[in-house]
Amino acid sequence: MEKQFKSGFIAIIGRPNVGKSTFMNQVIGQKIAIMSDKPQTTRNKIQGVLTLPDAQMIFIDTPGIHKPKHQLGDFMVKTAINTLNEVDAILFMINAEEGYGKGDQYILDRLQKVDKPVYLIVNKIDLVHPDKLLPLIDQYKDKHDFTEIIPISALQGNNVKHLLEVLKDQLAEGPQYYPEDQITDHPERFIISELIREKVLQFTKEEVPHSIAVVIENMEQRNHGKVLIQATIVTERKTQKGILIGKQGTMLKNIGKAARKDIENLLGTSVYLELWVKVKKDWRNKQSQLQEYGFSRDDY
């Protein structure tokens, strides 16, 4: 008798900075979604594919839901909300440290209109005392009819295996959508641009907020297997360009050095990375430039 194979699409939704990307990377076992201590890090839907001998789970890491302040923010929120109607299950992730907030209620109101299993995932339990968990869970229990409530630490991996088993049990029989060695639906260029953007956020702290985009201009194989990658960091103001380059180019060198390390891990080969910085004033509110940098209206 042939073994039953299960599959399904699972959305990860929640306020900014609750640990959605950290969870995705923990599950897949490789960095495909960028991580930052700044909110609204994820901009596009990023699919992470976990293939097991008897199941395939496609996780969709959505942008954090927040009140948009520009067209890019509007794109991000619509992308996250529309994902709810396209999946087989939803993980509503909250931060155990922060507890209930207005942003959660905004999401809960939208979940009322969704006829899918919704799991409440209480993340970052490693940062709170166990005595604080039960009152928090009780508070959320009354706000929605959750299929199950599962506390985890995405960073440390606590209880993540149990969550995956629960999800696999509820999945319906289905096909294997992706080859078993494929871990994301995004092309390498997208992941590489995200890894560079992560390092910009990491090194520039609050000086350069989310007004940057990274465009891969060229990517080619050179002699002895080394890969040449040429990328442009786009920002909105000249002052930000100065910060990104730094004194005698130090900041840009540091960003490039850290990004190159992650890119080499991703590609499994040596990389020569060239970075430039370009100013495009107010690009986050210009539809033509949003499309040029990969934020298309067709996505929502």
Side-chain angles (χ1 to χ4, degrees), residues 188-189 192 216 218-230 260 263-264 267-274:
E188 283 176 347
R189 279 176 174 244
I192 289 165
I216 305 299
N218 180 41
M219 189 172 162
E220 60 183 79
Q221 194 100 18
R222 286 291 176 95
N223 295 337
H224 313 296
K226 196 166 187 174
V227 176
L228 168 67
I229 298 169
Q230 296 167 309
R260 191 182 73 243
I263 296 166
E264 287 179 342
L267 301 180
T269 188
S270 296
V271 166
Y272 181 68
L273 179 63
E274 289 182 0

PDB file of all heavy atoms in Angstrom, residues 188-189 192 216 218-230 260 263-264 267-274:
ATOM      1  N   GLU A 188      17.535  33.064  -6.340  1.00  0.00           N
ATOM      2  CA  GLU A 188      18.732  33.411  -5.561  1.00  0.00           C
ATOM      3  C   GLU A 188      18.958  34.914  -5.494  1.00  0.00           C
ATOM      4  O   GLU A 188      19.358  35.446  -4.473  1.00  0.00           O
ATOM      5  CB  GLU A 188      19.969  32.733  -6.175  1.00  0.00           C
ATOM      6  CG  GLU A 188      20.074  31.259  -5.835  1.00  0.00           C
ATOM      7  CD  GLU A 188      21.253  30.590  -6.525  1.00  0.00           C
ATOM      8  OE1 GLU A 188      21.838  31.187  -7.453  1.00  0.00           O
ATOM      9  OE2 GLU A 188      21.588  29.457  -6.144  1.00  0.00           O
ATOM     10  N   ARG A 189      18.694  35.614  -6.589  1.00  0.00           N
ATOM     11  CA  ARG A 189      18.919  37.069  -6.624  1.00  0.00           C
ATOM     12  C   ARG A 189      18.117  37.779  -5.535  1.00  0.00           C
ATOM     13  O   ARG A 189      18.601  38.719  -4.917  1.00  0.00           O
ATOM     14  CB  ARG A 189      18.528  37.638  -7.993  1.00  0.00           C
ATOM     15  CG  ARG A 189      19.603  37.454  -9.052  1.00  0.00           C
ATOM     16  CD  ARG A 189      19.107  37.963 -10.394  1.00  0.00           C
ATOM     17  NE  ARG A 189      20.192  37.905 -11.383  1.00  0.00           N
ATOM     18  CZ  ARG A 189      20.726  38.961 -11.966  1.00  0.00           C
ATOM     19  NH1 ARG A 189      20.301  40.181 -11.653  1.00  0.00           N
ATOM     20  NH2 ARG A 189      21.692  38.834 -12.850  1.00  0.00           N
ATOM     21  N   ILE A 192      19.668  37.054  -2.109  1.00  0.00           N
ATOM     22  CA  ILE A 192      20.935  37.795  -1.986  1.00  0.00           C
ATOM     23  C   ILE A 192      20.669  39.275  -1.689  1.00  0.00           C
ATOM     24  O   ILE A 192      21.305  39.871  -0.816  1.00  0.00           O
ATOM     25  CB  ILE A 192      21.792  37.621  -3.261  1.00  0.00           C
ATOM     26  CG1 ILE A 192      22.323  36.178  -3.320  1.00  0.00           C
ATOM     27  CG2 ILE A 192      22.948  38.615  -3.300  1.00  0.00           C
ATOM     28  CD1 ILE A 192      22.863  35.759  -4.666  1.00  0.00           C
ATOM     29  N   ILE A 216      20.020  43.902  -7.414  1.00  0.00           N
ATOM     30  CA  ILE A 216      21.141  43.124  -7.954  1.00  0.00           C
ATOM     31  C   ILE A 216      21.284  43.483  -9.437  1.00  0.00           C
ATOM     32  O   ILE A 216      20.416  43.171 -10.252  1.00  0.00           O
ATOM     33  CB  ILE A 216      20.917  41.599  -7.795  1.00  0.00           C
ATOM     34  CG1 ILE A 216      20.628  41.240  -6.332  1.00  0.00           C
ATOM     35  CG2 ILE A 216      22.134  40.825  -8.321  1.00  0.00           C
ATOM     36  CD1 ILE A 216      21.724  41.563  -5.352  1.00  0.00           C
ATOM     37  N   ASN A 218      24.027  42.744 -11.460  1.00  0.00           N
ATOM     38  CA  ASN A 218      24.713  41.732 -12.265  1.00  0.00           C
ATOM     39  C   ASN A 218      25.155  40.575 -11.374  1.00  0.00           C
ATOM     40  O   ASN A 218      25.545  40.785 -10.224  1.00  0.00           O
ATOM     41  CB  ASN A 218      25.935  42.356 -12.952  1.00  0.00           C
ATOM     42  CG  ASN A 218      26.678  41.351 -13.811  1.00  0.00           C
ATOM     43  OD1 ASN A 218      26.069  40.549 -14.507  1.00  0.00           O
ATOM     44  ND2 ASN A 218      28.005  41.367 -13.741  1.00  0.00           N
ATOM     45  N   MET A 219      25.060  39.373 -11.910  1.00  0.00           N
ATOM     46  CA  MET A 219      25.499  38.186 -11.170  1.00  0.00           C
ATOM     47  C   MET A 219      26.026  37.188 -12.187  1.00  0.00           C
ATOM     48  O   MET A 219      25.295  36.740 -13.067  1.00  0.00           O
ATOM     49  CB  MET A 219      24.301  37.605 -10.401  1.00  0.00           C
ATOM     50  CG  MET A 219      24.651  36.507  -9.431  1.00  0.00           C
ATOM     51  SD  MET A 219      23.191  36.090  -8.421  1.00  0.00           S
ATOM     52  CE  MET A 219      23.699  34.484  -7.799  1.00  0.00           C
ATOM     53  N   GLU A 220      27.314  36.886 -12.105  1.00  0.00           N
ATOM     54  CA  GLU A 220      27.894  35.976 -13.098  1.00  0.00           C
ATOM     55  C   GLU A 220      29.006  35.127 -12.499  1.00  0.00           C
ATOM     56  O   GLU A 220      29.682  35.518 -11.550  1.00  0.00           O
ATOM     57  CB  GLU A 220      28.433  36.782 -14.293  1.00  0.00           C
ATOM     58  CG  GLU A 220      29.525  37.788 -13.935  1.00  0.00           C
ATOM     59  CD  GLU A 220      29.961  38.610 -15.133  1.00  0.00           C
ATOM     60  OE1 GLU A 220      29.238  39.563 -15.493  1.00  0.00           O
ATOM     61  OE2 GLU A 220      31.033  38.288 -15.691  1.00  0.00           O
ATOM     62  N   GLN A 221      29.168  33.950 -13.085  1.00  0.00           N
ATOM     63  CA  GLN A 221      30.210  33.017 -12.652  1.00  0.00           C
ATOM     64  C   GLN A 221      31.542  33.433 -13.263  1.00  0.00           C
ATOM     65  O   GLN A 221      31.622  33.728 -14.457  1.00  0.00           O
ATOM     66  CB  GLN A 221      29.847  31.604 -13.118  1.00  0.00           C
ATOM     67  CG  GLN A 221      30.648  30.509 -12.449  1.00  0.00           C
ATOM     68  CD  GLN A 221      29.869  29.838 -11.324  1.00  0.00           C
ATOM     69  OE1 GLN A 221      28.675  29.953 -11.248  1.00  0.00           O
ATOM     70  NE2 GLN A 221      30.570  29.148 -10.451  1.00  0.00           N
ATOM     71  N   ARG A 222      32.577  33.480 -12.440  1.00  0.00           N
ATOM     72  CA  ARG A 222      33.910  33.820 -12.926  1.00  0.00           C
ATOM     73  C   ARG A 222      34.804  32.578 -12.910  1.00  0.00           C
ATOM     74  O   ARG A 222      34.365  31.492 -12.559  1.00  0.00           O
ATOM     75  CB  ARG A 222      34.514  34.920 -12.039  1.00  0.00           C
ATOM     76  CG  ARG A 222      33.891  36.303 -12.281  1.00  0.00           C
ATOM     77  CD  ARG A 222      34.278  36.835 -13.657  1.00  0.00           C
ATOM     78  NE  ARG A 222      33.644  38.101 -13.983  1.00  0.00           N
ATOM     79  CZ  ARG A 222      34.192  39.286 -13.795  1.00  0.00           C
ATOM     80  NH1 ARG A 222      35.375  39.372 -13.196  1.00  0.00           N
ATOM     81  NH2 ARG A 222      33.575  40.382 -14.188  1.00  0.00           N
ATOM     82  N   ASN A 223      36.063  32.748 -13.210  1.00  0.00           N
ATOM     83  CA  ASN A 223      37.005  31.626 -13.214  1.00  0.00           C
ATOM     84  C   ASN A 223      37.077  30.958 -11.845  1.00  0.00           C
ATOM     85  O   ASN A 223      36.910  31.610 -10.821  1.00  0.00           O
ATOM     86  CB  ASN A 223      38.407  32.123 -13.619  1.00  0.00           C
ATOM     87  CG  ASN A 223      38.423  32.631 -15.047  1.00  0.00           C
ATOM     88  OD1 ASN A 223      37.574  32.238 -15.847  1.00  0.00           O
ATOM     89  ND2 ASN A 223      39.367  33.502 -15.360  1.00  0.00           N
ATOM     90  N   HIS A 224      37.346  29.669 -11.845  1.00  0.00           N
ATOM     91  CA  HIS A 224      37.500  28.866 -10.621  1.00  0.00           C
ATOM     92  C   HIS A 224      36.220  28.866  -9.770  1.00  0.00           C
ATOM     93  O   HIS A 224      36.272  28.689  -8.554  1.00  0.00           O
ATOM     94  CB  HIS A 224      38.689  29.372  -9.773  1.00  0.00           C
ATOM     95  CG  HIS A 224      39.940  29.598 -10.563  1.00  0.00           C
ATOM     96  ND1 HIS A 224      40.602  28.562 -11.192  1.00  0.00           N
ATOM     97  CD2 HIS A 224      40.635  30.740 -10.850  1.00  0.00           C
ATOM     98  CE1 HIS A 224      41.671  29.050 -11.828  1.00  0.00           C
ATOM     99  NE2 HIS A 224      41.709  30.365 -11.636  1.00  0.00           N
ATOM    100  N   GLY A 225      35.081  29.086 -10.389  1.00  0.00           N
ATOM    101  CA  GLY A 225      33.806  28.960  -9.678  1.00  0.00           C
ATOM    102  C   GLY A 225      33.391  30.167  -8.844  1.00  0.00           C
ATOM    103  O   GLY A 225      32.311  30.177  -8.258  1.00  0.00           O
ATOM    104  N   LYS A 226      34.228  31.198  -8.773  1.00  0.00           N
ATOM    105  CA  LYS A 226      33.887  32.373  -7.962  1.00  0.00           C
ATOM    106  C   LYS A 226      32.756  33.152  -8.644  1.00  0.00           C
ATOM    107  O   LYS A 226      32.733  33.292  -9.860  1.00  0.00           O
ATOM    108  CB  LYS A 226      35.116  33.273  -7.787  1.00  0.00           C
ATOM    109  CG  LYS A 226      34.975  34.293  -6.684  1.00  0.00           C
ATOM    110  CD  LYS A 226      36.324  34.913  -6.319  1.00  0.00           C
ATOM    111  CE  LYS A 226      36.192  35.802  -5.097  1.00  0.00           C
ATOM    112  NZ  LYS A 226      37.476  36.319  -4.627  1.00  0.00           N
ATOM    113  N   VAL A 227      31.817  33.669  -7.833  1.00  0.00           N
ATOM    114  CA  VAL A 227      30.663  34.395  -8.370  1.00  0.00           C
ATOM    115  C   VAL A 227      30.837  35.897  -8.142  1.00  0.00           C
ATOM    116  O   VAL A 227      31.106  36.332  -7.017  1.00  0.00           O
ATOM    117  CB  VAL A 227      29.344  33.915  -7.722  1.00  0.00           C
ATOM    118  CG1 VAL A 227      28.161  34.742  -8.215  1.00  0.00           C
ATOM    119  CG2 VAL A 227      29.107  32.434  -8.013  1.00  0.00           C
ATOM    120  N   LEU A 228      30.694  36.677  -9.224  1.00  0.00           N
ATOM    121  CA  LEU A 228      30.725  38.139  -9.113  1.00  0.00           C
ATOM    122  C   LEU A 228      29.296  38.639  -8.951  1.00  0.00           C
ATOM    123  O   LEU A 228      28.415  38.309  -9.751  1.00  0.00           O
ATOM    124  CB  LEU A 228      31.348  38.755 -10.364  1.00  0.00           C
ATOM    125  CG  LEU A 228      31.172  40.283 -10.510  1.00  0.00           C
ATOM    126  CD1 LEU A 228      31.962  41.032  -9.427  1.00  0.00           C
ATOM    127  CD2 LEU A 228      31.583  40.757 -11.892  1.00  0.00           C
ATOM    128  N   ILE A 229      29.058  39.419  -7.892  1.00  0.00           N
ATOM    129  CA  ILE A 229      27.749  40.019  -7.666  1.00  0.00           C
ATOM    130  C   ILE A 229      27.928  41.529  -7.548  1.00  0.00           C
ATOM    131  O   ILE A 229      28.724  42.011  -6.740  1.00  0.00           O
ATOM    132  CB  ILE A 229      27.079  39.468  -6.389  1.00  0.00           C
ATOM    133  CG1 ILE A 229      26.842  37.953  -6.518  1.00  0.00           C
ATOM    134  CG2 ILE A 229      25.755  40.190  -6.110  1.00  0.00           C
ATOM    135  CD1 ILE A 229      26.441  37.275  -5.234  1.00  0.00           C
ATOM    136  N   GLN A 230      27.206  42.273  -8.385  1.00  0.00           N
ATOM    137  CA  GLN A 230      27.230  43.734  -8.332  1.00  0.00           C
ATOM    138  C   GLN A 230      25.839  44.212  -7.939  1.00  0.00           C
ATOM    139  O   GLN A 230      24.850  43.844  -8.589  1.00  0.00           O
ATOM    140  CB  GLN A 230      27.657  44.300  -9.691  1.00  0.00           C
ATOM    141  CG  GLN A 230      29.087  43.912 -10.054  1.00  0.00           C
ATOM    142  CD  GLN A 230      29.415  44.185 -11.510  1.00  0.00           C
ATOM    143  OE1 GLN A 230      28.687  43.773 -12.411  1.00  0.00           O
ATOM    144  NE2 GLN A 230      30.520  44.889 -11.755  1.00  0.00           N
ATOM    145  N   ARG A 260      28.691  39.302   2.295  1.00  0.00           N
ATOM    146  CA  ARG A 260      29.402  38.298   1.491  1.00  0.00           C
ATOM    147  C   ARG A 260      29.467  36.949   2.206  1.00  0.00           C
ATOM    148  O   ARG A 260      29.284  35.893   1.598  1.00  0.00           O
ATOM    149  CB  ARG A 260      30.805  38.795   1.155  1.00  0.00           C
ATOM    150  CG  ARG A 260      31.491  37.914   0.088  1.00  0.00           C
ATOM    151  CD  ARG A 260      32.901  38.354  -0.224  1.00  0.00           C
ATOM    152  NE  ARG A 260      33.802  38.005   0.871  1.00  0.00           N
ATOM    153  CZ  ARG A 260      34.462  38.890   1.604  1.00  0.00           C
ATOM    154  NH1 ARG A 260      34.314  40.185   1.377  1.00  0.00           N
ATOM    155  NH2 ARG A 260      35.269  38.499   2.568  1.00  0.00           N
ATOM    156  N   ILE A 263      26.103  35.282   1.891  1.00  0.00           N
ATOM    157  CA  ILE A 263      25.859  34.900   0.491  1.00  0.00           C
ATOM    158  C   ILE A 263      26.681  33.667   0.119  1.00  0.00           C
ATOM    159  O   ILE A 263      26.202  32.768  -0.575  1.00  0.00           O
ATOM    160  CB  ILE A 263      26.162  36.082  -0.458  1.00  0.00           C
ATOM    161  CG1 ILE A 263      25.184  37.237  -0.185  1.00  0.00           C
ATOM    162  CG2 ILE A 263      26.072  35.641  -1.917  1.00  0.00           C
ATOM    163  CD1 ILE A 263      25.592  38.566  -0.814  1.00  0.00           C
ATOM    164  N   GLU A 264      27.918  33.607   0.607  1.00  0.00           N
ATOM    165  CA  GLU A 264      28.761  32.431   0.339  1.00  0.00           C
ATOM    166  C   GLU A 264      28.173  31.177   0.976  1.00  0.00           C
ATOM    167  O   GLU A 264      28.222  30.091   0.393  1.00  0.00           O
ATOM    168  CB  GLU A 264      30.188  32.690   0.843  1.00  0.00           C
ATOM    169  CG  GLU A 264      30.947  33.668  -0.048  1.00  0.00           C
ATOM    170  CD  GLU A 264      32.364  33.978   0.422  1.00  0.00           C
ATOM    171  OE1 GLU A 264      32.668  33.723   1.615  1.00  0.00           O
ATOM    172  OE2 GLU A 264      33.159  34.477  -0.402  1.00  0.00           O
ATOM    173  N   LEU A 267      25.229  30.200  -1.368  1.00  0.00           N
ATOM    174  CA  LEU A 267      25.611  29.674  -2.682  1.00  0.00           C
ATOM    175  C   LEU A 267      26.594  28.508  -2.609  1.00  0.00           C
ATOM    176  O   LEU A 267      26.741  27.752  -3.566  1.00  0.00           O
ATOM    177  CB  LEU A 267      26.228  30.791  -3.538  1.00  0.00           C
ATOM    178  CG  LEU A 267      25.343  32.020  -3.818  1.00  0.00           C
ATOM    179  CD1 LEU A 267      26.098  33.021  -4.680  1.00  0.00           C
ATOM    180  CD2 LEU A 267      24.042  31.614  -4.491  1.00  0.00           C
ATOM    181  N   GLY A 268      27.282  28.394  -1.462  1.00  0.00           N
ATOM    182  CA  GLY A 268      28.257  27.319  -1.309  1.00  0.00           C
ATOM    183  C   GLY A 268      29.502  27.523  -2.147  1.00  0.00           C
ATOM    184  O   GLY A 268      30.155  26.557  -2.568  1.00  0.00           O
ATOM    185  N   THR A 269      29.827  28.783  -2.441  1.00  0.00           N
ATOM    186  CA  THR A 269      31.015  29.084  -3.235  1.00  0.00           C
ATOM    187  C   THR A 269      31.555  30.463  -2.861  1.00  0.00           C
ATOM    188  O   THR A 269      30.885  31.237  -2.186  1.00  0.00           O
ATOM    189  CB  THR A 269      30.684  29.042  -4.754  1.00  0.00           C
ATOM    190  OG1 THR A 269      31.895  29.143  -5.491  1.00  0.00           O
ATOM    191  CG2 THR A 269      29.743  30.160  -5.164  1.00  0.00           C
ATOM    192  N   SER A 270      32.768  30.784  -3.311  1.00  0.00           N
ATOM    193  CA  SER A 270      33.364  32.097  -3.037  1.00  0.00           C
ATOM    194  C   SER A 270      32.648  33.182  -3.835  1.00  0.00           C
ATOM    195  O   SER A 270      32.221  32.959  -4.971  1.00  0.00           O
ATOM    196  CB  SER A 270      34.846  32.097  -3.413  1.00  0.00           C
ATOM    197  OG  SER A 270      35.551  31.182  -2.604  1.00  0.00           O
ATOM    198  N   VAL A 271      32.529  34.352  -3.224  1.00  0.00           N
ATOM    199  CA  VAL A 271      31.794  35.455  -3.845  1.00  0.00           C
ATOM    200  C   VAL A 271      32.649  36.723  -3.847  1.00  0.00           C
ATOM    201  O   VAL A 271      33.320  37.037  -2.859  1.00  0.00           O
ATOM    202  CB  VAL A 271      30.461  35.715  -3.086  1.00  0.00           C
ATOM    203  CG1 VAL A 271      29.844  37.053  -3.496  1.00  0.00           C
ATOM    204  CG2 VAL A 271      29.484  34.574  -3.322  1.00  0.00           C
ATOM    205  N   TYR A 272      32.611  37.447  -4.973  1.00  0.00           N
ATOM    206  CA  TYR A 272      33.201  38.778  -5.034  1.00  0.00           C
ATOM    207  C   TYR A 272      32.028  39.751  -5.111  1.00  0.00           C
ATOM    208  O   TYR A 272      31.255  39.726  -6.075  1.00  0.00           O
ATOM    209  CB  TYR A 272      34.112  38.911  -6.259  1.00  0.00           C
ATOM    210  CG  TYR A 272      34.764  40.269  -6.367  1.00  0.00           C
ATOM    211  CD1 TYR A 272      35.727  40.681  -5.437  1.00  0.00           C
ATOM    212  CD2 TYR A 272      34.408  41.155  -7.384  1.00  0.00           C
ATOM    213  CE1 TYR A 272      36.319  41.930  -5.528  1.00  0.00           C
ATOM    214  CE2 TYR A 272      35.000  42.403  -7.479  1.00  0.00           C
ATOM    215  CZ  TYR A 272      35.954  42.788  -6.541  1.00  0.00           C
ATOM    216  OH  TYR A 272      36.534  44.033  -6.620  1.00  0.00           O
ATOM    217  N   LEU A 273      31.847  40.564  -4.081  1.00  0.00           N
ATOM    218  CA  LEU A 273      30.677  41.443  -3.980  1.00  0.00           C
ATOM    219  C   LEU A 273      31.069  42.908  -4.153  1.00  0.00           C
ATOM    220  O   LEU A 273      31.922  43.416  -3.426  1.00  0.00           O
ATOM    221  CB  LEU A 273      29.992  41.240  -2.615  1.00  0.00           C
ATOM    222  CG  LEU A 273      28.763  42.098  -2.308  1.00  0.00           C
ATOM    223  CD1 LEU A 273      27.617  41.796  -3.284  1.00  0.00           C
ATOM    224  CD2 LEU A 273      28.296  41.872  -0.869  1.00  0.00           C
ATOM    225  N   GLU A 274      30.447  43.564  -5.127  1.00  0.00           N
ATOM    226  CA  GLU A 274      30.653  45.002  -5.338  1.00  0.00           C
ATOM    227  C   GLU A 274      29.362  45.736  -5.005  1.00  0.00           C
ATOM    228  O   GLU A 274      28.287  45.381  -5.508  1.00  0.00           O
ATOM    229  CB  GLU A 274      31.019  45.284  -6.804  1.00  0.00           C
ATOM    230  CG  GLU A 274      32.401  44.820  -7.198  1.00  0.00           C
ATOM    231  CD  GLU A 274      32.730  45.167  -8.652  1.00  0.00           C
ATOM    232  OE1 GLU A 274      31.870  45.769  -9.338  1.00  0.00           O
ATOM    233  OE2 GLU A 274      33.840  44.822  -9.103  1.00  0.00           O
TER     234      GLU A 274
END
